[in-house]
Amino acid sequence: MTAMIEARGLSLAIHGMPILRGVSFALREGETFGLVGESGSGKSMTALSLMRLLPEGAEASGEILLAGRDLMALGEAEMCDLRGREMAMISQEPMTALNPVQTIADQVAETLIVHAAARPREARRIALERLARVGLPPDAIPPDRYPHELSGGQRQRVAIAMAIALRPRLLIADEPTTALDVTTQAQILALLKGLVREEGMGLMLITHDLAVVAGMADRVAVMQEGRIVEEGDTESLFTRMRHPYTRALFEASAHQPERRPTARAEPLLVAEDVVREYRMPGLRLFGPAPRFRAVDHVSFTIHKGESLGLVGESGCGKSTLTRALLGLDPIDGGRIRLGGEEITAGRHMPARLRRRMQVVFQDPYASFDPRWKVGRLVAEPFHLLETPPEDPAARVAEALADVGLPADAADRYIHEFSGGQRQRIAIARALVLKPDLVILDEAVSALDVSIRAQILDLLADLQARLGLAWLFISHDLNVVRAITDRVLVMQAGRIVEEGETERVLTAPEHPYTQTLIKAAPQIPAAWRKALHG
Amino acid sequence: MRARLPLQLLIGAAIFAAFALAALVSFLWVPHDVTALNIAAKLAPPSREYPLGTDHFGRDMLSMLMVGARTSIAVAILAVGIGMLAGVPLGLWAAARRGSLIDEIIMRGNDLVFAFPSLVIAILITAVFGPSATNAIIAIGIFNIPVFARVSRGAALSLWTRDFIMAARVAGKRAFRISLEHILPNIANVLIVQGTIQFSLGILAEAGLSYVGLGAQPPTPSWGRMLAEAQTMIYTAPRLAILPGLAIVLAVLGLNLMGDGLRDLLDPRLRRARQ
């Protein structure tokens, strides 16, 4: 079979910085081609090069052959004609990919009208048919809805419907499920798989997640620093892993830090029947506004030195619960006690209670004031002490050393650090007051797998050395398995299952936990055995 | 790597610097005394003695424009100062207590001020308290307050949802301290840009008030009044109207270019793109 699209020696530099260094690959019709790599490896730029949608200051060289025609030689007008018709793309963030003031049917129809493929009436008919094809039938999801009236998964379906409106030969999906929950991810991946099979198009699936490509792709290429370091049939690539980088990536994604199970003796934080409600915009002018119960009678205990996991999908109330635990938002019912003292929101909460709890957030780029130096950032919790420490610089240096950063990091600004280093700094800030409990809110979700493995090692090591308790909030079951002893599963504001991590993840009792575990993509066990055997 | 300065910032800053320099020099030296009348030399064309000629009282136009720049800039700076000093804390307060009664009161108060036609209120203030440069400053300043309150509230609101603000709250910091330490430095760029725009609007407003005789009083020269006095002689000596008009246009243009340039320079998104 001949290649439908082929890249030959594709190189790219942006403002003189080399991004791609001689990338070559070929994609056949009806084939799913997985492109895997960590952030900055050039996978998205490869996709944008194919579409010729490169950022300003980019210089590309090499050949891109679409059915034998070199796209690099085409003008912008000819490319516009090809985009959408021959090749289409869906991106990671379904909210920003859709026009918020246009109905979903109009957006899908637009592609058809722009390419003069159909008159408006006919375009709408095709649009409805395409929407039905991606699982949004008009009788269930009215086609005159706007993007904000849909869930994340439904928006991604609309984006897919737009992409396949003209039945392109190539569909590029750049991290199509990274922003979605695991159960939604499973549905979107199943949809893409079905489209490839039934419409016979080629799918280029870009992802950082080895488990996703393992279940989807016919062939896989692994990218590192702008090069494809290994390429092959999915099964043979996974079972052989010739290139050391592929092997490192694989091992990092399944990394289990060495840790001893922690003893559970003394309760540290006790939550009893916690309720938190939000007022929703009223539907009627008069009468009580409807209330949304984000946290619904939640009770649990964190013991001293324990590592507790909290798993749930977006909107289940994890973040609301976190803010209540930290005493940032008031609760509408129940009690939260830390070491016997009741946590109350706002200024009534004594500093001595506050300093026993700290937090690490998900996004290492939003967690720091960009105008402060690291030393001042890490020292910010000193505000909770009645008298500032005598040697703040030494305390900061100690906290930085705990997370494996040199003391001179304190004199630098946060933008000088990488994502992984920033997350270390966030942990240093949480540790500087030597708290009893640290809440890690999706603290490793935004990190590349190799960095994530390092941070998990660091967390396990810190817990062993400092006797800290973690509340580890995550949607990623692999991470929860690696770092926690006990886990809570949360759904729609309630804790539906609780137990030893290993037991819950291998023999889940609650149907929701079972769904979660089934939906999480896995590398087939046989492939893993072949690799290690 | 040093970021390249936007071209419009350089041009705008150069134009404005020329006016600021002329205003500063006028404190120490002017070619001719602006209060001295010399009827013998009235309406003299530009010459070596009078580089831009004289007006109908024989006063030197260059000296008048220099001292007029002083008036315009002083009024605009003080008016922007009033707007910032009152507006920014109000905006930060509203953002810190977002959704509360205080927020509502501050923002509806803003709307109330916005709803009045600003020139009419300025005329009212000067009519009640008498025309003077001070009252012009107060009148223009009051209308700057809601502008800065709104801009700083909007910018602060988006910051309040960020994780680093959450971290400061976990560190037990009160809203006042967070506003001062984290919010204010991070919205400074927005305020500087808005400040230059309000500055140019202040110059225009001062010229407008002086034109109708409600700004700086004679014998203090002002661009607006020079325009007003020149209009009866627009056919005989158009130079008298063109020169102060040009000064106003150039000063406002320079400040607007500067504001645009600063926005490009300070916008973190554009800055990241350049790096």
Side-chain angles (χ1 to χ4, degrees), chain A residues 193-272:
Chain A
K193 218 173 187 172
L195 286 172
V196 170
R197 196 174 51 235
E198 286 158 32
E199 316 250 334
M201 48 178 195
L203 172 66
M204 183 164 164
L205 180 68
I206 298 174
T207 177
H208 66 281
D209 192 336
L210 285 171
V212 167
V213 280
M216 288 286 293
D218 303 313
R219 275 186 316 122
V220 177
V222 180
M223 278 195 89
Q224 182 195 19
E225 288 168 16
R227 285 191 189 89
I228 290 182
V229 295
E230 186 168 2
E231 191 192 338
D233 285 348
T234 308
E235 185 172 348
S236 62
L237 185 130
F238 271 93
T239 47
R240 299 215 183 92
M241 296 209 175
R242 290 207 179 82
H243 197 275
Y245 179 72
T246 313
R247 200 167 275 260
L249 208 56
F250 174 77
E251 270 157 17
S253 71
H255 183 75
Q256 298 265 356
E258 268 181 57
R259 53 190 300 275
R260 278 170 290 124
T262 48
R264 289 199 292 280
E266 216 181 314
L268 174 67
L269 182 130
V270 182
E272 285 169 27

Coordinates of all heavy atoms in Angstrom, one line a residue, chain A residues 193-272:
Chain A
K193 N -11.7 5.5 17.1 CA -11.4 4.2 16.5 C -12.4 3.8 15.5 O -12.1 3.3 14.4 CB -11.4 3.2 17.7 CG -10.3 2.2 17.6 CD -10.2 1.4 18.9 CE -9.1 0.4 18.8 NZ -8.9 -0.2 20.2
G194 N -13.7 4.0 15.9 CA -14.8 3.7 15.0 C -14.7 4.5 13.7 O -15.0 3.9 12.6
L195 N -14.4 5.8 13.8 CA -14.3 6.6 12.6 C -13.3 6.1 11.6 O -13.5 6.1 10.4 CB -14.1 8.1 13.0 CG -15.2 8.8 13.7 CD1 -14.8 10.1 14.2 CD2 -16.3 9.0 12.6
V196 N -12.1 5.8 12.2 CA -11.0 5.3 11.4 C -11.5 4.0 10.6 O -11.2 3.9 9.4 CB -9.8 5.0 12.2 CG1 -8.7 4.3 11.4 CG2 -9.2 6.3 12.8
R197 N -12.1 3.2 11.3 CA -12.5 1.9 10.8 C -13.6 2.1 9.7 O -13.5 1.5 8.6 CB -13.0 1.0 11.9 CG -13.1 -0.5 11.5 CD -13.5 -1.4 12.7 NE -14.7 -0.9 13.3 CZ -14.8 -0.6 14.6 NH1 -13.7 -0.7 15.4 NH2 -15.9 -0.1 15.2
E198 N -14.6 2.9 10.0 CA -15.7 3.0 9.1 C -15.5 4.0 7.9 O -16.0 3.8 6.8 CB -17.0 3.4 9.9 CG -17.5 2.2 10.7 CD -18.4 2.7 11.8 OE1 -19.0 3.7 11.6 OE2 -18.4 2.0 12.9
E199 N -14.8 5.1 8.2 CA -14.6 6.1 7.1 C -13.3 5.9 6.4 O -13.0 6.6 5.4 CB -14.7 7.5 7.8 CG -15.8 7.6 8.8 CD -16.9 8.5 8.3 OE1 -16.6 9.4 7.4 OE2 -18.0 8.4 8.8
G200 N -12.5 5.0 6.9 CA -11.2 4.7 6.2 C -10.2 5.9 6.2 O -9.4 5.9 5.3
M201 N -10.3 6.8 7.1 CA -9.3 7.9 7.1 C -8.1 7.5 7.9 O -8.1 6.5 8.7 CB -9.9 9.2 7.6 CG -10.7 9.0 8.9 SD -11.3 10.6 9.4 CE -11.7 10.2 11.1
G202 N -7.0 8.2 7.7 CA -5.8 8.0 8.5 C -5.9 8.9 9.7 O -6.4 10.0 9.7
L203 N -5.5 8.4 10.9 CA -5.6 9.1 12.1 C -4.2 9.3 12.7 O -3.5 8.3 12.8 CB -6.5 8.4 13.1 CG -6.5 9.0 14.6 CD1 -7.1 10.4 14.6 CD2 -7.2 8.1 15.5
M204 N -3.8 10.5 12.9 CA -2.5 10.7 13.5 C -2.8 11.2 15.0 O -3.4 12.2 15.2 CB -1.7 11.8 12.8 CG -0.4 12.1 13.4 SD 0.6 13.0 12.2 CE 1.8 13.6 13.2
L205 N -2.5 10.3 15.9 CA -2.8 10.5 17.3 C -1.6 10.9 18.1 O -0.7 10.2 18.2 CB -3.4 9.2 17.9 CG -3.8 9.3 19.3 CD1 -5.0 10.2 19.5 CD2 -4.1 7.9 19.9
I206 N -1.6 12.2 18.5 CA -0.5 12.7 19.3 C -0.8 12.7 20.7 O -1.9 13.1 21.2 CB -0.2 14.2 18.8 CG1 0.1 14.2 17.4 CG2 0.8 14.8 19.7 CD1 0.2 15.6 16.8
T207 N 0.0 12.1 21.5 CA -0.2 12.0 23.0 C 1.1 11.8 23.8 O 2.1 11.5 23.2 CB -1.2 10.8 23.3 OG1 -1.4 10.7 24.6 CG2 -0.7 9.5 22.7
H208 N 1.0 12.1 25.0 CA 2.1 11.8 25.9 C 1.9 10.5 26.6 O 2.8 10.1 27.3 CB 2.2 13.0 27.0 CG 1.0 13.0 27.9 ND1 -0.2 13.5 27.5 CD2 0.9 12.4 29.1 CE1 -1.0 13.3 28.5 NE2 -0.4 12.6 29.5
D209 N 0.7 9.9 26.4 CA 0.3 8.8 27.2 C 0.5 7.5 26.5 O -0.2 7.2 25.5 CB -1.2 8.9 27.6 CG -1.6 8.0 28.7 OD1 -1.0 6.9 28.8 OD2 -2.6 8.3 29.3
L210 N 1.5 6.7 26.9 CA 1.8 5.4 26.2 C 0.7 4.5 26.2 O 0.4 3.7 25.3 CB 3.0 4.8 26.9 CG 4.4 5.4 26.6 CD1 5.4 4.8 27.5 CD2 4.8 5.1 25.2
A211 N -0.1 4.5 27.3 CA -1.2 3.5 27.4 C -2.3 3.8 26.4 O -2.9 2.9 25.8 CB -1.8 3.6 28.8
V212 N -2.5 5.1 26.1 CA -3.5 5.5 25.1 C -3.1 5.0 23.7 O -3.9 4.4 23.0 CB -3.7 7.0 25.0 CG1 -4.5 7.5 23.8 CG2 -4.4 7.5 26.3
V213 N -1.8 5.2 23.3 CA -1.4 4.7 22.0 C -1.4 3.2 21.9 O -1.7 2.6 20.9 CB 0.0 5.2 21.5 CG1 -0.1 6.5 21.0 CG2 1.0 5.0 22.6
A214 N -1.1 2.5 23.1 CA -1.1 1.1 23.1 C -2.4 0.5 22.7 O -2.5 -0.5 22.0 CB -0.7 0.6 24.5
G215 N -3.5 1.2 23.1 CA -4.8 0.7 22.8 C -5.4 1.2 21.5 O -6.4 0.7 21.0
M216 N -4.7 2.2 20.9 CA -5.3 2.8 19.7 C -4.5 2.6 18.4 O -5.1 2.4 17.3 CB -5.4 4.3 19.9 CG -6.4 4.8 20.9 SD -8.1 4.7 20.3 CE -8.0 5.9 19.0
A217 N -3.2 2.7 18.5 CA -2.4 2.9 17.2 C -2.1 1.5 16.6 O -1.9 0.5 17.3 CB -1.2 3.7 17.5
D218 N -2.0 1.6 15.2 CA -1.4 0.4 14.5 C 0.1 0.5 14.5 O 0.8 -0.4 14.6 CB -1.9 0.5 13.1 CG -3.4 0.4 13.0 OD1 -4.0 -0.4 13.7 OD2 -4.0 1.3 12.3
R219 N 0.6 1.8 14.3 CA 2.0 2.0 14.4 C 2.3 3.2 15.3 O 1.5 4.1 15.5 CB 2.6 2.3 13.0 CG 2.9 1.0 12.2 CD 3.6 1.3 10.9 NE 3.0 2.3 10.2 CZ 3.6 3.4 9.8 NH1 4.9 3.6 10.1 NH2 3.0 4.4 9.2
V220 N 3.5 3.2 15.9 CA 3.8 4.2 16.9 C 5.2 4.7 16.6 O 6.1 4.0 16.1 CB 3.9 3.6 18.3 CG1 4.3 4.7 19.3 CG2 2.5 3.1 18.7
A221 N 5.4 6.1 16.7 CA 6.7 6.7 16.6 C 6.9 7.4 17.9 O 6.0 8.1 18.5 CB 6.8 7.6 15.5
V222 N 8.1 7.3 18.5 CA 8.5 8.0 19.7 C 9.4 9.1 19.4 O 10.4 9.0 18.7 CB 9.2 7.0 20.7 CG1 9.6 7.7 22.0 CG2 8.3 5.8 21.0
M223 N 9.0 10.3 19.8 CA 9.8 11.5 19.5 C 10.6 12.0 20.7 O 10.1 11.9 21.9 CB 8.9 12.6 19.1 CG 8.5 12.6 17.6 SD 7.8 14.1 17.1 CE 9.2 15.0 16.5
Q224 N 11.8 12.5 20.5 CA 12.6 13.1 21.5 C 13.4 14.2 20.9 O 14.1 14.0 19.9 CB 13.5 12.0 22.2 CG 14.3 12.6 23.3 CD 15.5 11.7 23.7 OE1 15.9 10.8 22.9 NE2 16.0 11.9 24.9
E225 N 13.3 15.4 21.5 CA 14.1 16.5 21.0 C 14.0 16.7 19.5 O 15.1 16.9 18.8 CB 15.5 16.4 21.5 CG 15.6 16.7 23.0 CD 17.0 16.3 23.5 OE1 17.9 16.1 22.7 OE2 17.1 16.1 24.7
G226 N 12.8 16.6 18.9 CA 12.7 16.9 17.5 C 13.0 15.8 16.6 O 13.1 16.0 15.4
R227 N 13.3 14.6 17.1 CA 13.6 13.5 16.2 C 12.7 12.3 16.6 O 12.3 12.2 17.7 CB 15.1 13.0 16.5 CG 16.1 13.9 15.9 CD 17.5 13.2 16.0 NE 18.5 14.2 15.6 CZ 19.1 15.0 16.5 NH1 18.8 14.9 17.7 NH2 20.0 15.9 16.1
I228 N 12.5 11.5 15.6 CA 11.8 10.2 15.8 C 12.9 9.2 16.2 O 13.7 8.9 15.4 CB 11.0 9.8 14.6 CG1 9.8 10.7 14.5 CG2 10.5 8.3 14.8 CD1 8.8 10.3 13.3
V229 N 12.9 8.8 17.4 CA 14.0 7.9 17.9 C 13.7 6.4 17.6 O 14.5 5.6 17.5 CB 14.4 8.1 19.3 CG1 15.0 9.5 19.5 CG2 13.2 7.9 20.3
E230 N 12.3 6.1 17.6 CA 12.0 4.7 17.4 C 10.6 4.7 16.7 O 9.7 5.5 17.0 CB 12.0 3.9 18.7 CG 11.7 2.4 18.4 CD 12.0 1.6 19.7 OE1 12.3 2.2 20.7 OE2 11.9 0.4 19.6
E231 N 10.5 3.8 15.8 CA 9.2 3.7 15.1 C 8.9 2.2 14.7 O 9.9 1.5 14.4 CB 9.2 4.5 13.8 CG 7.9 4.6 13.1 CD 8.0 5.2 11.7 OE1 9.0 5.8 11.4 OE2 7.0 5.0 11.0
G232 N 7.7 1.8 14.8 CA 7.4 0.4 14.4 C 5.9 0.1 14.7 O 5.2 0.9 15.2
D233 N 5.6 -1.2 14.4 CA 4.2 -1.7 14.8 C 4.1 -1.6 16.3 O 5.0 -1.8 17.0 CB 4.1 -3.2 14.4 CG 3.9 -3.3 12.9 OD1 3.7 -2.3 12.2 OD2 4.1 -4.4 12.4
T234 N 2.9 -1.2 16.7 CA 2.7 -1.0 18.1 C 3.1 -2.1 19.0 O 3.9 -2.0 19.9 CB 1.2 -0.7 18.4 OG1 0.8 0.3 17.5 CG2 1.0 -0.2 19.8
E235 N 2.7 -3.3 18.6 CA 3.0 -4.5 19.4 C 4.5 -4.7 19.5 O 5.1 -4.9 20.6 CB 2.3 -5.7 19.0 CG 2.5 -6.9 19.9 CD 1.6 -8.1 19.6 OE1 0.7 -8.0 18.8 OE2 1.9 -9.1 20.2
S236 N 5.2 -4.7 18.3 CA 6.6 -5.0 18.4 C 7.4 -3.9 19.1 O 8.4 -4.1 19.8 CB 7.1 -5.3 16.9 OG 7.0 -4.1 16.2
L237 N 6.9 -2.7 18.9 CA 7.6 -1.6 19.6 C 7.5 -1.7 21.1 O 8.4 -1.6 21.9 CB 7.0 -0.2 19.2 CG 7.7 1.0 19.7 CD1 8.1 2.0 18.7 CD2 6.9 1.7 20.8
F238 N 6.3 -2.1 21.6 CA 6.1 -2.2 23.0 C 6.8 -3.4 23.6 O 7.2 -3.4 24.7 CB 4.6 -2.2 23.3 CG 4.0 -0.9 23.5 CD1 3.4 -0.2 22.5 CD2 4.0 -0.3 24.8 CE1 2.9 1.1 22.7 CE2 3.5 1.0 25.0 CZ 2.9 1.7 23.9
T239 N 6.8 -4.5 22.8 CA 7.4 -5.7 23.4 C 9.0 -5.7 23.2 O 9.6 -6.4 24.0 CB 6.9 -6.9 22.7 OG1 6.9 -6.7 21.3 CG2 5.5 -7.2 23.1
R240 N 9.5 -4.9 22.3 CA 11.0 -4.9 22.2 C 11.6 -3.6 22.8 O 12.5 -3.7 23.6 CB 11.4 -5.0 20.7 CG 10.8 -6.2 20.0 CD 11.8 -6.8 19.0 NE 11.1 -8.0 18.4 CZ 10.4 -7.9 17.3 NH1 10.2 -6.8 16.7 NH2 9.8 -9.0 16.9
M241 N 11.1 -2.5 22.5 CA 11.7 -1.2 23.0 C 13.2 -1.1 22.7 O 13.9 -1.2 23.7 CB 11.3 -1.0 24.4 CG 9.8 -0.9 24.7 SD 9.5 0.1 26.1 CE 7.7 0.2 26.0
R242 N 13.6 -1.0 21.5 CA 15.0 -1.0 21.2 C 15.7 0.3 21.7 O 16.8 0.2 22.1 CB 15.2 -1.1 19.7 CG 14.7 -2.4 19.1 CD 15.5 -2.8 17.8 NE 15.1 -4.1 17.4 CZ 14.0 -4.3 16.6 NH1 13.2 -3.3 16.3 NH2 13.7 -5.5 16.2
H243 N 15.0 1.4 21.6 CA 15.7 2.6 21.9 C 15.6 2.9 23.5 O 14.6 2.7 24.1 CB 15.1 3.8 21.2 CG 16.0 5.0 21.2 ND1 16.0 5.9 22.2 CD2 16.9 5.5 20.3 CE1 16.8 6.9 22.0 NE2 17.4 6.6 20.8
P244 N 16.8 3.3 24.1 CA 16.7 3.5 25.5 C 15.7 4.5 26.0 O 15.2 4.4 27.1 CB 18.2 3.9 25.9 CG 18.8 4.2 24.6 CD 18.1 3.4 23.5
Y245 N 15.5 5.5 25.1 CA 14.5 6.6 25.5 C 13.1 6.0 25.6 O 12.3 6.3 26.5 CB 14.5 7.7 24.5 CG 13.6 8.8 24.9 CD1 13.8 9.7 26.0 CD2 12.4 9.0 24.2 CE1 12.9 10.7 26.3 CE2 11.5 10.0 24.5 CZ 11.7 10.8 25.6 OH 10.9 11.8 25.9
T246 N 12.7 5.1 24.7 CA 11.4 4.5 24.7 C 11.3 3.7 26.0 O 10.2 3.8 26.7 CB 11.2 3.5 23.5 OG1 11.7 4.2 22.4 CG2 9.8 3.1 23.4
R247 N 12.3 3.0 26.3 CA 12.3 2.2 27.6 C 12.2 3.1 28.8 O 11.4 2.8 29.7 CB 13.6 1.4 27.6 CG 13.6 0.2 28.5 CD 14.8 -0.7 28.2 NE 14.6 -1.6 27.1 CZ 14.3 -2.8 27.3 NH1 14.1 -3.3 28.5 NH2 14.1 -3.6 26.2
A248 N 12.9 4.2 28.8 CA 12.9 5.1 29.9 C 11.5 5.7 30.1 O 11.0 5.8 31.2 CB 13.9 6.2 29.7
L249 N 10.9 6.1 28.9 CA 9.6 6.6 29.0 C 8.6 5.6 29.5 O 7.7 6.0 30.4 CB 9.2 7.0 27.5 CG 8.2 8.1 27.3 CD1 8.7 9.4 27.9 CD2 8.0 8.3 25.8
F250 N 8.7 4.4 29.1 CA 7.8 3.3 29.5 C 7.9 3.1 31.0 O 7.0 3.0 31.8 CB 8.1 2.1 28.7 CG 7.3 0.9 29.2 CD1 6.0 0.7 28.9 CD2 8.0 -0.1 30.0 CE1 5.3 -0.4 29.3 CE2 7.3 -1.2 30.4 CZ 5.9 -1.3 30.1
E251 N 9.2 3.0 31.5 CA 9.4 2.7 32.9 C 9.0 3.9 33.8 O 8.4 3.7 34.8 CB 10.9 2.4 33.1 CG 11.2 0.9 33.0 CD 12.6 0.6 32.7 OE1 13.5 1.4 32.9 OE2 12.8 -0.6 32.2
A252 N 9.2 5.1 33.3 CA 8.7 6.3 34.1 C 7.2 6.3 34.2 O 6.7 6.6 35.3 CB 9.2 7.6 33.4
S253 N 6.5 5.8 33.1 CA 5.0 5.9 33.2 C 4.4 4.9 34.2 O 3.3 5.1 34.7 CB 4.4 5.7 31.8 OG 4.6 4.4 31.4
A254 N 5.2 3.8 34.4 CA 4.7 2.8 35.4 C 5.5 2.8 36.7 O 5.5 1.9 37.4 CB 4.8 1.4 34.7
H255 N 6.1 4.0 36.9 CA 7.1 4.1 38.0 C 6.4 3.9 39.4 O 5.4 4.5 39.6 CB 7.8 5.4 38.0 CG 8.8 5.5 39.0 ND1 10.0 4.9 39.0 CD2 8.8 6.3 40.2 CE1 10.7 5.2 40.1 NE2 10.0 6.0 40.8
Q256 N 7.0 3.1 40.2 CA 6.5 2.9 41.6 C 7.6 3.3 42.5 O 8.6 2.5 42.6 CB 6.0 1.4 41.8 CG 4.9 0.9 41.0 CD 3.6 1.1 41.6 OE1 3.5 1.5 42.8 NE2 2.5 0.7 40.9
P257 N 7.5 4.4 43.2 CA 8.6 4.7 44.1 C 8.6 3.7 45.3 O 7.6 3.1 45.6 CB 8.2 6.1 44.7 CG 6.8 6.3 44.4 CD 6.4 5.4 43.2
E258 N 9.8 3.5 45.8 CA 10.0 2.5 46.9 C 9.4 3.2 48.2 O 9.8 4.3 48.5 CB 11.4 2.2 47.1 CG 11.9 1.0 46.4 CD 13.4 0.7 46.7 OE1 13.7 0.6 47.9 OE2 14.2 0.7 45.7
R259 N 8.5 2.6 48.8 CA 8.0 3.2 50.0 C 7.4 2.1 50.9 O 6.9 1.0 50.4 CB 6.9 4.2 49.7 CG 5.8 3.8 48.8 CD 5.0 5.0 48.4 NE 4.4 5.7 49.6 CZ 3.3 5.4 50.2 NH1 2.6 4.3 49.7 NH2 2.8 6.0 51.2
R260 N 7.5 2.3 52.2 CA 7.0 1.4 53.1 C 5.5 1.8 53.5 O 5.3 3.0 53.5 CB 7.8 1.4 54.4 CG 9.0 0.5 54.3 CD 9.9 0.7 55.5 NE 10.6 2.1 55.5 CZ 10.5 3.0 56.4 NH1 9.8 2.7 57.5 NH2 11.1 4.1 56.3
P261 N 4.7 0.9 53.7 CA 3.3 1.3 54.1 C 3.4 2.0 55.5 O 4.2 1.6 56.3 CB 2.5 0.0 54.3 CG 3.5 -1.1 54.1 CD 4.8 -0.6 53.6
T262 N 2.6 3.1 55.6 CA 2.7 3.9 56.8 C 1.7 3.3 57.9 O 0.7 2.8 57.6 CB 2.4 5.3 56.5 OG1 1.2 5.4 55.8 CG2 3.5 6.0 55.8
A263 N 2.2 3.5 59.1 CA 1.3 3.1 60.2 C 0.1 4.0 60.4 O 0.3 5.2 60.1 CB 2.1 3.0 61.5
R264 N -1.0 3.5 60.8 CA -2.1 4.4 61.1 C -2.5 4.3 62.5 O -3.2 3.4 62.9 CB -3.3 4.0 60.2 CG -3.1 4.3 58.8 CD -4.5 4.3 58.1 NE -5.1 3.0 58.0 CZ -4.8 2.1 57.1 NH1 -3.8 2.3 56.3 NH2 -5.4 0.9 57.1
A265 N -2.0 5.2 63.3 CA -2.3 5.1 64.7 C -3.3 6.3 65.1 O -4.4 6.1 65.4 CB -1.1 5.1 65.5
E266 N -2.7 7.5 65.1 CA -3.3 8.6 65.7 C -4.1 9.4 64.6 O -3.5 9.7 63.6 CB -2.3 9.5 66.3 CG -2.6 10.2 67.5 CD -1.5 11.1 68.0 OE1 -0.3 10.6 67.9 OE2 -1.7 12.3 68.3
P267 N -5.4 9.7 64.8 CA -6.0 10.5 63.7 C -5.5 11.9 63.8 O -5.2 12.5 64.8 CB -7.5 10.4 64.2 CG -7.5 9.9 65.5 CD -6.3 9.3 65.9
L268 N -5.3 12.5 62.5 CA -4.8 13.8 62.4 C -5.9 14.8 62.0 O -6.2 15.7 62.7 CB -3.6 13.9 61.4 CG -3.1 15.3 61.1 CD1 -2.4 15.8 62.3 CD2 -2.1 15.1 59.9
L269 N -6.5 14.5 60.9 CA -7.6 15.3 60.4 C -8.9 14.5 60.3 O -8.8 13.4 59.7 CB -7.3 15.9 59.0 CG -8.4 16.8 58.5 CD1 -7.8 18.1 58.0 CD2 -9.1 16.2 57.3
V270 N -9.9 14.9 61.0 CA -11.2 14.2 61.0 C -12.2 15.1 60.3 O -12.5 16.2 60.8 CB -11.6 13.8 62.4 CG1 -12.9 13.0 62.3 CG2 -10.5 13.0 63.1
A271 N -12.8 14.6 59.3 CA -14.0 15.3 58.6 C -15.2 14.5 58.9 O -15.3 13.3 58.8 CB -13.8 15.4 57.1
E272 N -16.2 15.2 59.5 CA -17.5 14.5 59.8 C -18.6 15.2 59.1 O -18.9 16.3 59.3 CB -17.7 14.6 61.3 CG -16.9 13.7 62.2 CD -17.0 14.0 63.6 OE1 -18.0 14.5 64.0 OE2 -16.0 13.8 64.4

